[in-house]
Amino acid sequence: MSKRVSATINLAAVSHNIKVVKSKAPNSQILAMVKADAYGHGAGEIARVVENEVGGFGVATLEEAAALRDMGISIPIVLLEGFNFPHELAIAKENGLDLVVHNLDQLSTLLKDGCDGIPRLWLKLDTGMHRLGFSEDEWQAARLLVEQLDLPIEKIVMTHLACADEFNHPQTNHQITCFEHLTQDLSYPRSIANSAAIISLPELHQNWVRPGIMLYGVSPFGAKKESENLKAVMTLNASVIALKHLKAGEWVGYGATYQCPSDRLIATVSLGYGDGYPRSAPTGTPCYINGVMTELVGRVSMDMLTIDVTDVPDVKLGDQVELWGEHVHIEKVAACCNTIGYELLTGLTNRVAFNYVR
Ligand SMILES: *Cc1c(COP(=O)(O)O)cnc(C)c1O
């Protein structure tokens, strides 16, 4: 298994993480988020593993939805931004996709063209995120249009929280109050909770929860909090391809940003930002090799990076280095790079060889 760079996807960990969602929100249906190729894990493989465990899948694009239908996925698939270009509605109908409806133009088009073939509409309310959704002002008009839709189509009301990953953020209360106010006289099923709210705000679980990042074993709270018994699904590995005994005062890498404070053994590892490992990872970013944690030194380059292996036992060429996954929390790597695990997971390039294990 000594590929230059490999992402090993532990499918049993996905099933485990689904169980965690179920134990947290036992009375809710699960809309599993598999947008962006299942957060970079491979939507087809992830969907196959959980299709019998969840109530539906959430995707961002028609192409993502059609690919799941083409491989025979028959459970609900929700197009999270609905249709936004004229030709998209027909394709959504052909594929039997649930639509998120978030503006009056979409509703007018549905009134004109009909909803035949669309199983459900997810009416999205803007309660403060101000990205998608009917504002308070638009909602009355939207409801009138919804009532005029001819077919007895199932409807769900939903909103998305901006700050659920920060404990007791006042914006969350504001959004919930707004949602309650707008939907109090509606009997439609409701959906609010992303991973952060599934873990920390049980009162928001409602009829449908929408877990994304937690399915992949990553904490929505970043490095602030441990991962709630979640199991990392992706482990990213590369190989040691060179070893250098450097003297105190010698430098490593582009820009000569790292100077050895004492005699060091430095390993060159076979991945870089051309594989999707972030160039912003500074000296000190954690990695794991031969049973111990160590760290990056110097700049990440396109095809390689360098790590300090002075205190690592028995290092030799070909040894595997874990950049994130089972031992190295991706939340910590992300924090070193001023980003979030979501961005790292979705950023791997097609140079990375994926292998799936049960
Ligand atoms: C991506 C997404 C989610 C999942 O968010 P996580 O933080 O990954 O759990 C939930 N709802 C909507 C509308 C989304 O777009």
Side-chain angles (χ1 to χ4, degrees), residues 13-228:
V14 184
S15 301
H16 168 87
N17 296 333
I18 286 278
K19 289 204 185 81
V20 174
V21 175
K22 287 186 175 173
S23 70
K24 300 252 172 221
N27 302 314
S28 305
Q29 298 212 64
I30 298 175
L31 187 69
M33 292 296 157
V34 295
K35 61 194 184 192
D37 205 19
Y39 290 47
H41 292 71
E45 284 82 358
I46 300 295
R48 271 279 173 267
V49 171
V50 302
E51 65 178 320
N52 297 321
E53 302 291 324
V54 301
F57 291 120
V59 298
T61 72
L62 265 182
E63 289 73 19
E64 292 172 346
L68 292 178
R69 284 285 182 250
D70 287 349
M71 61 177 272
I73 298 287
S74 57
I75 68 173
I77 299 177
V78 182
L79 203 49
L80 292 166
E81 288 139 44
F83 58 96
N84 293 294
F85 302 96
H87 67 284
E88 292 188 332
L89 178 56
I91 303 174
K93 289 179 176 181
E94 277 163 30
N95 286 283
L97 304 181
D98 285 21
L99 296 176
V100 167
V101 178
H102 59 82
N103 67 32
L104 291 168
D105 279 5
Q106 290 176 329
L107 274 179
S108 308
T109 305
L110 284 172
L111 264 174
K112 201 154 32 81
D113 288 19
C115 298
D116 49 301
I118 303 294
R120 266 166 237 88
L121 295 182
W122 296 64
L123 303 168
K124 186 159 190 177
L125 297 178
D126 179 6
T127 56
M129 180 81 142
H130 298 328
R131 200 176 56 171
L132 293 185
F134 298 106
S135 67
E136 211 168 333
D137 290 348
E138 292 168 327
W139 183 226
Q140 290 314 320
R143 283 183 61 174
L144 287 177
L145 292 179
V146 168
E147 280 156 24
Q148 290 168 39
L149 293 173
D150 47 350
L151 295 172
I153 189 168
E154 193 183 330
K155 289 135 203 143
I156 292 139
V157 278
M158 68 181 287
T159 196
H160 194 44
L161 299 173
C163 306
D165 56 332
E166 295 180 49
F167 294 105
N168 294 320
H169 197 291
Q171 177 68 12
T172 303
N173 290 334
H174 170 84
Q175 289 196 257
I176 296 315
T177 309
C178 179
F179 189 72
E180 290 300 325
H181 168 68
L182 294 176
T183 60
Q184 58 193 353
D185 60 339
L186 285 176
S187 58
Y188 303 152
R190 291 146 189 258
S191 176
I192 302 173
N194 56 6
S195 297
I198 290 167
I199 294 168
S200 69
L201 298 164
E203 67 278 17
L204 302 186
H205 290 166
Q206 313 271 334
N207 305 88
W208 284 86
V209 292
R210 307 193 303 266
I213 197 75
M214 71 185 291
L215 299 179
Y216 309 104
V218 178
S219 168
F221 305 105
K224 286 173 280 182
K225 194 160 174 282
E226 284 306 314
S227 306
E228 298 284 343

